[in-house]
């Protein structure tokens, strides 16, 4: 049985290129709107049986898929690197290893996280009532994903959706279709039930058709502009969505921070994946007294980085995904220069290499009014600004439309926590940058224009189920006091309810007993 749809190749194909060399590495179908509709219908049918599977059975598929990935680890890492431009080591460290951990975590824990939950309903329980929540699968989950983490982002969401009992239609980015298809192939190899996971390659139109096909949930990761379009279209069917969008993540370095560690973290946070992470360090604020020393460390370490093709094991910084993305970086850097900031190192395309390589770039004297401090750059730039007080650092960090992640660097953990709580972003790390997307147990998601909803962790799994409340009355011999048969006596009873029962105190509620008996007798007579 096959888990992926293979469409005949037509002229309407997507060509996949290696951005480090410009060479074609393969083609995939640009799936039509009709084919998307058909796939969603098949997914709905498959859901009827998949929803009945036990957690254990789902977990076995996931763990077998995990084995396949381990067996093919080097080929998969190379494919990710070739199609996205990132170093093979980052394909392993930032995609494959974290997603393997996520797979085992949700395979082993989804049942526990989604176990039915009893709710304490207060004094109503003394009247023979009980409530519980069970978590029902939603149906067809559409996953629309970007190119920057082409393996770990969609695969993590696929696994969570399947474990929750949903079927999935995945639309990978048109820039990384082969990695998307690989995810389908992995599940085909473990004989996942037909149509439980379908991978539909294609461009934005294929994605839009998937939104129109009214899946039961959309998990979207990508740009703010596309997120807004999807939110509008999804509203037509009231399809619930999770939006994981862009960021302009700040890093605050206080004068008491470990500057060695902070400077290494800053360059990794800004330049890994060629700066194309939603949670990249895109703005750095350093406290005035250590600004010069810190900036010198950053520049020195940046100049020691090796930029080359991702396939070379000594490469630190690989190619960017496309000319378009590189042009945005060039524009932001040019704007920094025009606006009075200083380019300390980098600042241009790497002329030594043929592909879309932009040199890791450190910029000082940046200010929040500059374009590269307001819009997502999504490239290897690290603009640095100074601050003098804790309050100013918080204000500078919060002066943005985005709110995905932020980091605070200080040896004073009380201060770190205090500042963290004042920053408006979905994840704040103290003495760490960027990496928590790799922790399966923790929630991931943004504030403000960085989106809404969560992926990963318990909160992420909860996005993929419908909480259903089941309330039971074991005590039907007596009529409810609030049923019809309204009267003066009823009014008196509910005055008493308002005063006594609604206080939450059992002691006060006891005072209601005589009035309640009167009301029940009245109702029985009617
Ligand atoms: P994008 O918005 O251009 O594309 C994302 C996906 O949406 C692609 O699969 C694309 O084909 C599809 N798409 C495009 N138009 C569509 C439409 N009208 N309807 C439905 N689908 C459509 O984003 P991108 O360039 O692939 O990714 C980069 C962006 O993603 C950055 O802004 C980055 O910050 C963000 N991102 C966010 C997170 C996060 O977790 N918050 C993670 C990774 C990337």
């Amino acid at each position: 049985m096959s888990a992926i749809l293979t469409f005949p190749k037509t002229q309407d194909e997507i060509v996949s290129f290696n951005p480090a060399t410009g060479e074609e590495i393969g083609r995939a179908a640009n799936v039509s709107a009709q084919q998307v509709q058909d796939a969603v219908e098949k997914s709905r049918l498959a859901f009827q049986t998949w929803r009945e599977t036990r957690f254990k059975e789902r977990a076995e598929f996931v763990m077998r898929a995990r084995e396949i990935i381990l067996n093919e680890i080097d080929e998969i890492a190379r494919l990710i690197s070739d199609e996205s431009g990132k170093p093979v080591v980052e394909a392993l460290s930032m995609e494959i290893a974290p997603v393997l951990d996520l797979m085992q975590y949700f395979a082993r824990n989804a049942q526990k996280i989604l176990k039915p939950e009893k709710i304490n309903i207060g004094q109503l329980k003394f009247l023979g009532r009980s409530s519980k929540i069970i978590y029902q699968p939603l149906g067809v989950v559409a996953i629309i994903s970007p190119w920057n983490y082409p393996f770990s982002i969609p695969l993590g969401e696929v696994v969570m959706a399947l474990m929750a009992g949903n079927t999935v239609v995945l639309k990978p980015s048109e820039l990384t279709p082969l990695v998307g298809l690989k995810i389908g192939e992995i599940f085909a190899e473990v004989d996942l039930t037909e149509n439980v996971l379908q991978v539909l390659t294609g461009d934005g139109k294929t994605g839009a058709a998937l939104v129109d096909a009214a899946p039961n949930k959309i998990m979207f990761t990508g740009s703010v502009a596309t997120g807004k379009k999807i939110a509008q279209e999804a509203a037509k069917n009231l399809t619930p969505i999770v939006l994981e969008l862009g960021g302009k993540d700040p890093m605050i370095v206080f004068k008491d921070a470990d500057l060695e560690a902070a400077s290494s973290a800053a360059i990794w946070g800004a330049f890994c994946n060629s700066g194309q992470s939603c949670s990249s360090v895109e703005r750095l604020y350093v406290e005035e007294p250590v600004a010069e020393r810190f900036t010198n460390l950053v520049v020195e370490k940046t100049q020691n980085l090796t930029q080359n093709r991702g396939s070379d094991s000594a490469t630190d910084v690989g190619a960017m995904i496309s000319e378009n993305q590189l042009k945005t970086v060039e524009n932001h850097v040019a704007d920094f220069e025009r606006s009075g900031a200083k380019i300390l190192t980098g600042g241009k395309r790497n002329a030594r290499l043929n592909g879309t390589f932009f040199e890791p770039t450190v910029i000082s004297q940046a200010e929040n009014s500059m374009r590269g401090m307001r819009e997502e750059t999504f490239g290897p730039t690290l603009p640095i600004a100074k601050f003098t007080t804790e309050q100013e650092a918080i204000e500078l960090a919060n002066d943005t439309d985005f709110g995905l992640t932020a980091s605070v660097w200080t040896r004073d953990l009380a201060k770190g926590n205090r500042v963290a709580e004042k920053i408006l972003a979905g994840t704040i790390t103290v003495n760490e940058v960027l990496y928590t997307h790799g922790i399966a147990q923790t929630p991931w998601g943004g504030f403000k224009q960085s989106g809404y909803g969560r992926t990963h962790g318990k909160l992420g799994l909860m996005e993929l189920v419908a909480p259903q409340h089941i309330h039971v009355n074991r005590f039907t011999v007596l009529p409810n006091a609030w049923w019809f048969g309204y009267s003066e006596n009823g009014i008196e009873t509910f005055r008493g309810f308002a005063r006594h029962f609604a206080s939450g105190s059992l002691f006060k509620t006891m005072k209601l007993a005589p009035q309640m008996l009167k009301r029940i007798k009245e109702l029985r007579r009617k």
Side-chain angles (χ1 to χ4, degrees):
M1 277 184 283
S2 164
I4 66 165
L5 287 183
T6 41
F7 291 98
K9 291 207 173 124
T10 64
Q11 299 119 305
D12 208 4
E13 286 176 327
I14 312 170
V15 182
S16 174
F17 293 101
N18 180 335
T21 61
E23 285 159 13
E24 177 180 331
I25 54 173
R27 289 176 183 229
N30 198 7
V31 170
S32 71
Q34 186 56 52
Q35 288 169 316
V36 171
Q37 281 285 352
D38 295 347
V40 170
E41 280 318 308
K42 285 181 191 159
S43 193
R44 287 194 211 288
L45 278 178
F47 173 64
Q48 298 313 324
T49 42
W50 183 252
R51 67 174 304 160
E52 301 302 334
T53 53
R54 287 167 299 127
F55 281 101
K56 192 165 168 280
E57 219 173 311
R58 298 172 198 163
E60 277 166 12
F61 282 116
V62 170
M63 292 305 273
R64 291 214 311 268
R66 194 177 170 282
E67 277 308 305
I68 305 260
I69 297 170
L70 275 172
N71 291 341
E72 298 180 21
I73 192 161
D74 292 321
E75 294 91 307
I76 296 173
R78 184 61 197 258
L79 174 65
I80 297 170
S81 167
D82 283 351
E83 205 173 36
S84 69
K86 70 181 70 188
V88 165
V89 62
E90 286 181 356
L92 287 164
S93 66
M94 299 182 78
E95 297 221 53
I96 297 177
V99 85
L100 288 174
D101 186 42
L102 179 148
M103 290 173 93
Q104 66 78 23
Y105 175 71
F106 283 103
R108 293 185 173 129
N109 292 288
Q111 181 168 18
K112 210 182 328 161
I113 299 171
L114 296 178
K115 76 170 188 301
E117 226 176 289
K118 259 188 95 164
I119 305 176
N120 183 347
I121 53 173
Q123 299 178 72
L124 280 167
K125 64 179 172 282
F126 302 123
L127 298 172
R129 324 284 160 123
S130 64
S131 274
K132 67 176 177 185
I133 302 179
I134 61 168
Y135 297 101
Q136 298 276 17
L138 295 168
V140 179
V141 172
I143 297 173
I144 302 178
S145 54
W147 45 264
N148 65 334
Y149 290 93
F151 193 64
S152 59
I153 289 179
L155 178 53
E157 291 175 5
V158 164
V159 166
M160 293 171 68
L162 295 180
M163 284 307 304
N166 302 291
T167 51
V168 175
V169 179
L170 164 64
K171 209 299 278 175
S173 167
E174 57 273 42
L175 296 176
T176 50
L178 302 186
V179 176
L181 287 172
K182 185 71 202 171
I183 293 172
E185 282 161 23
I186 291 163
F187 281 95
E189 268 189 75
V190 301
D191 280 337
L192 181 66
T193 316
E194 199 166 21
N195 298 323
V196 167
L197 167 65
Q198 298 172 76
V199 181
L200 308 185
T201 51
D203 57 19
K205 285 201 198 99
T206 308
L210 183 51
V211 174
D212 283 347
N216 299 89
K217 181 107 188 190
I218 299 167
M219 304 293 288
F220 173 73
T221 309
S223 62
V224 174
T226 309
K228 285 182 178 170
K229 279 189 210 156
I230 289 178
Q232 267 181 339
E233 291 305 311
K236 292 182 182 159
N237 296 310
L238 288 184
T239 308
I241 54 180
V242 165
L243 295 178
E244 294 287 356
L245 309 178
K248 193 75 201 165
D249 298 359
M251 171 169 175
I252 298 175
V253 181
F254 284 102
K255 64 176 187 249
D256 66 344
D258 177 337
L259 296 188
E260 265 304 326
S263 53
S264 295
I267 63 164
W268 182 74
F271 305 141
C272 68
N273 212 25
S274 242
Q276 303 165 117
S277 301
C278 48
S279 50
S280 286
V281 174
E282 290 236 347
R283 298 177 287 148
L284 193 143
Y285 302 103
V286 57
E287 198 165 1
E288 167 78 44
V290 296
E292 195 180 332
R293 190 149 61 91
F294 177 79
T295 306
N296 288 343
L297 277 172
V298 164
V299 170
E300 189 188 317
K301 290 180 184 185
T302 300
Q303 286 169 342
N304 282 333
L305 295 175
T306 304
Q307 186 164 46
N308 205 344
R309 292 181 185 186
S311 52
D312 186 327
S313 61
T315 297
D316 296 305
V317 183
M320 298 193 62
I321 189 75
S322 65
E323 275 299 326
N324 261 351
Q325 202 61 48
L326 191 141
K327 282 207 177 80
T328 304
V329 183
E330 280 178 338
N331 289 339
H332 283 200
V333 170
D335 185 74
F336 272 121
E337 277 190 295
R338 260 196 311 274
S339 316
K342 294 265 166 305
I343 313 297
L344 301 179
T345 186
K348 57 184 188 321
R349 213 184 166 109
N350 190 327
R352 200 175 42 80
L353 298 159
N354 283 330
T356 42
F357 291 87
F358 196 86
E359 290 180 352
T361 299
V362 182
I363 299 157
S364 68
Q365 299 177 35
E367 287 177 16
N368 271 12
S369 54
M370 298 172 183
R371 192 169 163 210
M373 295 291 271
R374 307 214 69 79
E375 297 169 19
E376 189 179 45
T377 308
F378 225 52
T381 57
L382 180 58
I384 303 179
K386 294 185 231 174
F387 68 90
T388 48
T389 65
E390 183 177 318
Q391 185 54 29
E392 189 192 2
I394 294 165
E395 282 169 14
L396 287 167
N398 282 336
D399 174 23
T400 174
D401 294 335
F402 296 97
L404 189 56
T405 80
S407 78
V408 183
W409 289 76
T410 171
R411 285 193 170 91
D412 175 352
L413 296 187
K415 176 161 75 177
N417 277 289
R418 183 171 71 231
V419 172
E421 286 176 21
K422 293 201 174 118
I423 294 178
L424 300 172
T427 297
I428 320 291
T429 52
V430 178
N431 299 329
E432 259 306 343
V433 280
L434 192 141
Y435 88 120
T436 67
H437 191 267
I439 310 177
Q441 293 87 339
T442 58
W444 184 262
F447 287 13
K448 301 196 262 182
Q449 300 277 305
S450 292
Y452 48 76
R454 292 293 178 267
T455 56
H456 293 188
K458 179 180 174 180
L459 295 177
L461 196 60
M462 289 296 168
E463 296 281 0
L464 294 159
V465 288
Q468 185 177 44
H469 172 205
I470 296 181
H471 182 79
V472 175
N473 177 11
R474 266 180 242 93
F475 195 53
T476 51
V477 285
L478 296 180
N480 279 330
W482 53 84
W483 284 354
F484 283 133
Y486 295 163
S487 65
E488 270 306 316
N489 189 29
I491 289 177
E492 189 50 33
T493 306
F494 286 100
R495 263 195 214 110
F497 257 74
R499 282 203 190 98
H500 304 301
F501 179 85
S503 72
S505 152
L506 182 60
F507 179 70
K508 279 194 170 179
T509 302
M510 302 286 271
K511 292 187 188 157
L512 263 179
Q515 180 60 38
M516 278 287 283
L517 277 176
K518 227 167 121 187
R519 171 73 175 147
I520 286 164
K521 272 191 201 150
E522 178 188 48
L523 285 175
R524 287 211 137 157
R525 275 200 304 273
K526 286 197 174 174

